[in-house]
Amino acid sequence: MKIKKTVIACLLLLGSVQMSTAQDLLEILNKEQKSATNYVPPAFKMTRVAFGHSTEVRSKGVLELFTATRFWNLPGDRSQSFAADKMTTRIALEYGVSDRLSFGMGGTTFDGLFDSYLKYKLWSQQKGEKSVPFNITLLQTGSYNSSSGSIYSGLSGDFSERLAFTSQVLVSRRMTSKFSLQLAPTFVHKPLGVPNQDNKNFFALGFGARYKLGPHLALVSEYYRTFNPIDSFDTYDPFAIGVNWELGDILIQLMLTNTRNMVEDTFITQTRNNFNFKDPNLHFGFNATYVFHLSNTLKNK
């Protein structure tokens, strides 16, 4: 009898331990599942707001083909009413090195710029116990002006004088299920080859917004305020308003803007036209993003 009682006691003890362990594991799983759902949906579906970068980065193994085009008319009698007189195109590739880090490079026809950039997502907006109120992404770009006929007549053939760099801290928040907002403190270093009174260093603050109109449609707008603009000729703050259309892995942006430049150091410092409907101040913009999931393709092979 003593042996039976001992065996029963051991079985009861073992069962209680197993129940306690199972309960602990269940609590751990619940916590993991809870933490996995803490991330707030992206503030911006695209890696661009309009002409500037958003806080979004491409996931690991994802390649993005980005094309941007701007159309505008010439003033006066030279303008054609049935079509745009001028256009510029930028083609770029961006690759997700990791889920936080992206690398990109591109080229523009109008100003002969070749550029590259690194983009790192420092924080992602979360809710719950470990609440993070903002998305924060760091962006560092560099560009080379290859144009021989630049508006800056003083540009030399020196390689270093044709380089420009932009540093940004992109901070966004999904305010509601439909509305997102972004701020972008910006520093630009750009030798202009113009009179000595002009700075080589510029400070600006960008504002971006997105409002969801439907499952695949959103209204976007972007504006940059430059605090110390160029003195030797008139420049204006870049502004854009447009619509995003999401079609699976193809994302399309249509916009009206006053800047024909498409790299940070150019549209922030050298937008020559104000935003109004006089030629050539208003430009029609078209961006298209094509997404390729290379990691999935390699796995399938």
Side-chain angles (χ1 to χ4, degrees):
M1 290 293 293
K2 290 183 178 180
I3 295 175
K4 288 183 178 179
K5 290 181 179 179
T6 303
V7 171
I8 291 171
C10 290
L11 290 173
L12 290 172
L13 180 61
L14 181 61
S16 64
V17 171
Q18 287 178 339
M19 288 179 65
S20 176
T21 304
Q23 187 175 1
D24 291 341
L25 290 174
L26 183 60
E27 289 178 357
I28 292 172
L29 284 173
N30 286 335
K31 287 182 179 179
E32 287 181 350
Q33 290 177 356
K34 185 177 180 181
S35 63
T37 58
N38 273 345
Y39 287 101
V40 175
F44 296 88
K45 291 295 185 69
M46 296 185 175
T47 56
R48 303 297 194 284
V49 180
F51 41 68
H53 281 268
S54 74
T55 51
E56 307 310 322
V57 297
R58 284 301 170 203
S59 301
K60 182 178 180 180
V62 174
L63 178 68
E64 172 186 294
L65 172 62
F66 177 79
T67 63
T69 306
R70 303 288 183 268
F71 304 90
W72 68 95
N73 287 327
L74 296 173
D77 296 336
R78 293 177 295 171
S79 179
Q80 300 177 15
S81 59
F82 61 90
D85 299 322
K86 294 286 186 178
M87 66 173 289
T88 178
T89 301
R90 180 175 183 271
I91 299 176
L93 292 173
E94 181 173 329
Y95 180 72
V97 180
S98 70
D99 288 338
R100 289 178 176 266
L101 178 65
S102 292
F103 169 76
M105 59 176 59
T108 310
T109 59
F110 171 69
D111 43 18
L113 281 183
F114 294 95
D115 67 283
S116 62
Y117 53 89
L118 284 172
K119 197 173 180 183
Y120 181 76
K121 192 154 195 176
L122 191 64
W123 285 345
S124 295
Q125 185 178 347
Q126 301 178 48
K127 60 182 179 180
E129 294 181 0
K130 297 182 179 180
S131 177
V132 178
F134 305 106
N135 301 293
I136 299 182
T137 299
L138 307 179
L139 176 70
Q140 180 61 54
T141 77
S143 69
Y144 173 74
N145 188 336
S146 65
S147 174
S148 58
S150 172
I151 60 172
Y152 308 127
S153 57
L155 266 181
S156 67
D158 189 358
F159 180 80
S160 62
E161 288 296 312
R162 292 176 171 268
L163 293 176
F165 302 94
T166 302
S167 302
Q168 287 189 304
V169 180
L170 306 171
V171 182
S172 73
R173 176 177 171 81
R174 191 181 177 98
M175 310 297 289
T176 68
S177 60
K178 291 186 176 183
F179 180 68
S180 299
L181 185 66
Q182 176 175 290
L183 298 178
T186 304
F187 169 75
V188 177
H189 175 75
K190 185 179 182 69
L192 296 172
V194 291
N196 293 328
Q197 69 263 25
D198 283 320
N199 296 318
K200 291 186 178 181
N201 300 319
F202 302 88
F203 298 91
L205 180 62
F207 302 86
R210 174 182 181 267
Y211 185 81
K212 186 177 179 181
L213 299 174
H216 304 286
L217 202 65
L219 181 69
V220 294
S221 184
E222 192 169 15
Y223 168 78
Y224 273 82
R225 171 62 176 166
T226 306
F227 297 112
N228 56 332
I230 296 170
D231 293 324
S232 57
F233 55 85
D234 292 335
T235 60
Y236 298 88
D237 294 329
F239 175 77
I241 185 168
V243 174
N244 289 0
W245 188 17
E246 304 162 18
L247 299 170
D249 288 338
I250 301 176
L251 308 174
I252 295 173
Q253 294 177 299
L254 306 174
M255 74 187 76
L256 294 176
T257 178
N258 63 324
T259 181
R260 63 193 64 168
N261 304 103
M262 290 176 278
V263 179
E264 280 69 19
D265 64 85
T266 54
F267 65 70
I268 291 174
T269 63
Q270 63 189 65
T271 295
R272 303 295 300 271
N273 305 309
N274 201 357
F275 187 87
N276 57 50
F277 287 86
K278 295 180 179 179
D279 291 334
N281 291 353
L282 195 63
H283 312 321
F284 173 73
F286 176 85
N287 295 347
T289 302
Y290 307 88
V291 178
F292 304 94
H293 301 271
L294 297 185
S295 58
N296 293 339
T297 303
L298 292 174
K299 287 179 182 179
N300 293 334
K301 289 183 178 180

